[in-house]
């Protein structure tokens, strides 16, 4: 049987933007609560490390950003290490969260 946190993490992949938005807000609130912070953070970091698309990574990072803005969440340094292939946008979000990534962004071409 799935618990509430597992259901919320699964809903980040739903095609409905309204469902994803509500889920992101709920997960952000859980990051701001001491009783649920550790479990929520661990689940989100695991989810983030398995993302293959930039849009999925950015949506997951937005959960942490919302938590920082609305619930005084302080980003875990493991967050930067959980992104398999950083992009310009994910790096910007990490910087806004007070983290710096040591992984260089490669493969960009000037057009």
């Amino acid at each position: 049987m799935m618990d509430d946190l597992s259901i919320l993490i699964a809903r980040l992949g739903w095609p409905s933007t309204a469902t994803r938005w509500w889920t992101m807000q709920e997960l952000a609130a859980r990051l701001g609560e001491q009783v649920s912070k550790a479990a929520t953070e661990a689940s989100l970091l695991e989810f983030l490390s398995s993302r293959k698309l930039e849009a999925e990574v950015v949506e997951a990072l937005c959960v942490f950003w919302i938590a920082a803005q609305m619930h005084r969440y302080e980003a875990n340094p493991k967050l930067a290490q959980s992104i398999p292939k950083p992009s310009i946008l994910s790096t910007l979000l990490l910087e806004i969260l007070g983290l710096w990534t040591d992984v260089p962004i490669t493969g960009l071409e000037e057009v």
Side-chain angles (χ1 to χ4, degrees):
M1 183 171 180
M2 293 182 78
D3 60 271
D4 291 349
L5 181 56
S6 298
I7 291 169
L8 286 170
I9 297 291
R11 286 186 179 168
L12 285 175
W14 282 24
S16 167
T17 54
T19 299
R20 288 196 317 271
W21 175 244
W22 176 84
T23 300
M24 291 165 67
Q25 293 176 342
E26 188 65 28
L27 287 167
R30 286 174 174 246
L31 284 173
E33 298 170 0
Q34 288 296 9
V35 294
S36 57
K37 177 182 176 180
T40 303
E41 192 173 63
S43 293
L44 281 169
L45 291 175
E46 182 181 336
F47 173 81
L48 185 59
S49 67
S50 67
R51 299 302 88 195
K52 304 228 183 288
L53 301 176
E54 180 187 27
E56 294 173 320
V57 170
V58 169
E59 281 187 348
L61 286 175
C62 282
V63 173
F64 292 97
W65 180 80
I66 293 168
Q69 299 298 309
M70 309 268 309
H71 306 286
R72 296 188 182 110
Y73 170 78
E74 290 188 26
N76 184 329
K78 293 180 184 176
L79 183 56
Q81 301 161 359
S82 298
I83 301 172
K85 294 185 178 182
S87 66
I88 294 171
L89 183 52
S90 66
T91 301
L92 179 62
L93 282 168
L94 288 173
E95 288 177 13
I96 290 169
L97 289 167
L99 302 174
W100 182 257
T101 178
D102 292 332
V103 181
I105 300 171
T106 60
L108 298 178
E109 295 180 24
E110 187 175 332
V111 290

